[in-house]
Each structure stands twice: as C-alpha cells, then as structure tokens.
Amino acid sequence: MEILQGFVDAVVGIFNSSGLTTLNWQNYVMIGVSIVLLYLAIKKQYEPLLLLPIAFGMLLVNLYPSIMAPQSTELLTEAQCAARDIATSGHATQVIDGVTYYENPTYGGLLWYLYQGVKLGIYPPLIFLGIGCMTDFGPLISNPKSLILGAAAQIGIFVTFTGAIFLGFTAAEAGAIGIIGGADGPTAIFVTTKLAPHLLGSIAIAAYSYMALVPIIQPPIMKALTTKKERAVVMEQLRPVSKLEKIMFPVIVVIIIAIFLPDAAPLVGMLMLGNLFKESGVVERINKTAQNELMNIITIFLGTTVGATASGQTFLTFDTIKIIVLGLIAFCMGTAFGVLFGKIMYVATGGKVNPLIGSAGVSAVPMAARVSQKVGQQENPGNFLLMHAMGPNVAGVIGSAVAAGVLLNVVG
C-alpha cells in the first residue's frame, strides 16, 4: 500500500510541476506564434538564419519559463543552512539587525546566461563585425550619392519616434521603437538595451520579423511610388574601385563618426574593423573566422535569447501591439522615403537613376538590395540593379548606426 501511495504521490508531483498546470493561455498563444514563425523560416525560408532561432527561443521560454529565470541570491540564517544541509564556510555574509545571514546564490536558467551578451550590448557589435567582413563597400565608394538614399531611408525612424511620443511612450521608449524602421536587428537591440530594456522582447521580435519580411513588405510600396518607366531604367556600370580606396574608407569613416558621434562608435567601429579585415588582405584567417564561425555562433546566441524574451506574460500586452504597428509604420516609411529620394535623383540626373534602389536604403543587407533587383527585373528582365542597390544598402547600415548614435545622445 505504501508503495502504491508513493507511486501516486510521484505521479501527482510530476503532474503539478508540468506545463499542464504551470502554463497559462498567454503561453499557449505564444507557442502558436512560435510555430507559425518556424513555418515561415523553414517552409517559406524567410531569413531562416534569424527567424528559426528566434522562433525556437520563443517556443522554449513559453514551454519552460525557468529557462530564462535570472540568477539570484537568497539570504539564509545558520539554522536554515543547517536544515538544508548547506555548508556555511565560503559563503559571503550579511549582518541584518544583529543576525548573520549567509548568501546562497541560486543558478539562473541556461538562456539567461547567454542573454547577458544581449543585455550588456556585446552581441550586436560582434554581429556588425561579421557584417563588415562580408560587405563590399565598393558600390558606395564608387557612387557616393547613394549615401543620400541611405540617409533618406532613416527619416522613418525619426518620424515614428515623434509618433510614439504622441501615443504615450517616453522619449527613451520612442527612440527604441523608432529604430525598428532601420530594419536592422542588431542596432535595434543595441539601442533598446540602453534606452528601454523592458521593451526588448517586443522590439527585437518586431525588428527581426520585418527584416525577414522585406521581400513581402517592400515591393507593394516600391511599385506604388514609381512608374513602369522609372522601374525599367537601366543604370550605367559603376566605376572600378581601387584597393587603396577600400582600405582608406573604413578608417576615414570610423574617425569621422567616432569624433562627431561617439555613441555610434561601438557599432560603426566594429563594422569598419570587419571591413578592414576583408579589404586589407593580410588577415585572411581572422576574416574567415569573423564572417563564419564567430558570426554563426553569435547569431545562434542572439536569436535564441531574443526569442526567449517573448514570454506570453510580457509579450501579449497592448503596448506590444502598438510597438509592432509603429515598427511596421517606421519600416514602411523608411522604404517610402528611400524610393521618393530615388525619384528626386531620377529627375535630377535626367533619368539615369532607377528609383527602386532607394528602397535598399534600409539596412537589411543584402535582402533589400535583392528586392530592388527583383522588382526591377519584373519590368525589364535585362536590368541588373543589385550592385547599384548595394550602395544605398550599405549606406543604410551606416545610417542606422548613426541614427542610433543620435538617439542615444539625445534621449539616452
């Protein structure tokens, strides 16, 4: 009988600690959302390198919330330590009202430890290092005018920043929300951890989701703002860029930005360091490591832990809905302003610039540039806009980092 009772108690204990009793409806909703994101990543292949770890992190934290439980320290008296068979030697102590307490640290969840790289602002600059190693700044150097398009696409950030303030968000929160418009996940995370860390889950999910959905969101806006004639424009071939120019560019850029906007230096500095690894040609082993092994490892850690911030209790709020809507508006406006400035350049150059490349001014590299190429070829199959669009695209990476520096300086 005792054996049977013990068995029943064990089964009851397992049931009481299972998700059937500990999870609530918010968790189940987020589990459903994570499965949809996994479908988009695997079946539709919408940026799977980002979306898959984010979705799985979201799934994990809603199935097992303790995986993101923070490390904490409990205070125990000597009697409590003895009752729990905890040795008091070696433990730090505190004396409160004449009673000695022993500090007993408890371990955090696995993803909580990995999340510290996000919280402390370590992962985003390392992602930028890898991006720099993989990015060719040649199109931007060859056509400096594309900087204008990269800058224009950041206007949506500041317009949304103003709109978020009118909707009741603080200036710091509005700055973190507005940066979603740059379509740059690492920059959004970097800014949010400094301005509004309590909104990190919502903002990071929104930023990476819109990055993944660039091929769906951008084309309707591009087609609505341009004519068939403009979309069919064939641009002249870019001039060759010398190795010296490619080496000098990252050094000059980091000097200028670090002097005038030091808050942007961590992101821009690592981006330019990575590019210097690539263009110098003397550190090939480091260059390969940064763009492959390091980039892949950081992407896994960042994506999974960012997804794990989206627990049902914190994510399913009205503020989250407002953030997602504002983020979409920011991204759409960034695309629109880039295309509109592209139309201005089309007129100013007598029809030599295809306005579609302006949409690549958002910093989703190289997705946005590929979308410009795809939409252009739908009107003219012989049109090749990819390299021309890469100019505004890499300018957008720099532009979003600069915008981040401005927001950190103004409202940080």
Side-chain angles (χ1 to χ4, degrees):
M1 193 67 181
E2 291 181 2
I3 296 176
L4 179 60
Q5 183 62 45
F7 175 76
V8 171
D9 291 342
V11 171
V12 171
I14 292 173
F15 177 79
N16 288 335
S17 64
S18 71
L20 295 173
T21 59
T22 59
L23 303 182
N24 55 33
W25 68 269
Q26 292 106 321
N27 296 120
Y28 289 112
V29 169
M30 293 308 296
I31 289 170
V33 171
S34 68
I35 291 173
V36 171
L37 294 179
L38 285 171
Y39 170 80
L40 294 175
I42 298 171
K43 179 65 175 179
K44 299 297 185 179
Q45 296 187 18
Y46 290 158
E47 285 305 302
L49 292 178
L50 296 173
L51 208 54
L52 196 151
I54 288 174
F56 203 81
M58 186 186 300
L59 178 66
L60 276 175
V61 78
N62 284 284
L63 287 170
Y64 179 58
S66 295
I67 202 166
M68 273 292 279
Q71 178 178 306
S72 60
T73 301
E74 58 181 346
L75 299 178
L76 302 175
T77 64
E78 188 169 1
Q80 289 172 323
C81 288
R84 291 167 56 177
D85 197 24
I86 298 175
T88 57
S89 58
H91 284 254
T93 60
Q94 292 187 34
V95 178
I96 303 175
D97 295 332
V99 178
T100 301
Y101 289 88
Y102 296 86
E103 295 182 359
N104 183 45
T106 60
Y107 294 107
L110 169 64
L111 295 187
W112 181 84
Y113 289 101
L114 297 180
Y115 175 69
Q116 300 313 299
V118 176
K119 186 177 180 180
L120 299 174
I122 297 172
Y123 294 159
L126 291 180
I127 291 287
F128 263 60
L129 176 69
I131 293 173
C133 291
M134 295 186 290
T135 303
D136 181 8
F137 287 139
L140 176 59
I141 300 171
S142 179
N143 184 19
K145 294 190 295 293
S146 57
L147 274 170
I148 298 173
L149 300 178
Q154 312 311 314
I155 295 176
I157 292 175
F158 297 100
V159 174
T160 306
F161 166 74
T162 304
I165 291 177
F166 280 111
L167 286 178
F169 290 99
T170 66
E173 291 172 337
I177 294 168
I179 205 69
I180 298 173
D184 188 337
T187 301
I189 291 172
F190 185 79
V191 172
T192 305
T193 55
K194 296 182 179 297
L195 294 183
H198 57 288
L199 299 180
L200 180 61
S202 304
I203 290 175
I205 296 298
Y208 276 109
S209 296
Y210 296 141
M211 283 179 66
L213 297 175
V214 162
I216 295 176
I217 297 173
Q218 283 198 319
I221 299 172
M222 297 160 68
K223 292 177 180 178
L225 296 176
T226 57
T227 65
K228 183 178 179 67
K229 179 182 177 181
E230 291 169 341
R231 294 194 294 273
V233 169
V234 177
M235 297 180 64
E236 297 177 358
Q237 186 174 353
L238 295 171
R239 72 169 180 84
V241 178
S242 69
K243 182 175 181 178
L244 179 61
E245 288 177 289
K246 290 187 175 183
I247 292 175
M248 290 177 61
F249 181 80
V251 176
I252 293 172
V253 168
V254 76
I255 289 174
I256 293 173
I257 290 181
I259 289 176
F260 292 99
L261 200 62
D263 287 316
L267 293 176
V268 175
M270 296 304 283
L271 178 70
M272 295 304 157
L273 174 60
N275 190 248
L276 194 58
F277 284 165
K278 175 181 183 293
E279 302 299 349
S280 67
V282 296
V283 288
E284 190 61 26
R285 188 174 68 184
I286 295 177
N287 179 50
K288 288 182 178 179
T289 299
Q291 67 176 278
N292 292 301
E293 291 84 357
L294 179 62
M295 184 75 160
N296 291 336
I297 291 169
I298 298 301
T299 299
I300 293 170
F301 288 173
L302 186 146
T304 307
T305 55
V306 162
T309 61
S311 65
Q313 291 79 0
T314 59
F315 194 81
L316 294 179
T317 64
F318 185 60
D319 278 349
T320 297
I321 296 174
K322 290 194 289 185
I323 288 168
I324 291 175
V325 172
L326 284 168
L328 179 60
I329 292 172
F331 177 60
C332 291
M333 290 184 66
T335 300
F337 277 113
V339 174
L340 291 174
F341 271 74
K343 288 172 71 74
I344 293 173
M345 293 182 69
Y346 168 82
V347 173
T349 59
K352 294 182 179 180
V353 173
N354 191 315
L356 292 177
I357 68 172
S359 65
V362 297
S363 59
V365 178
M367 291 172 289
R370 289 174 183 162
V371 171
S372 298
Q373 163 85 357
K374 182 179 179 180
V375 175
Q377 284 197 326
Q378 289 175 352
E379 301 296 345
N380 183 352
N383 203 355
F384 296 93
L385 295 175
L386 183 60
M387 292 310 296
H388 298 283
M390 281 302 296
N393 210 184
V394 297
V397 177
I398 299 172
S400 65
V402 170
V406 171
L407 290 171
L408 290 172
N409 184 268
V410 173
V411 300

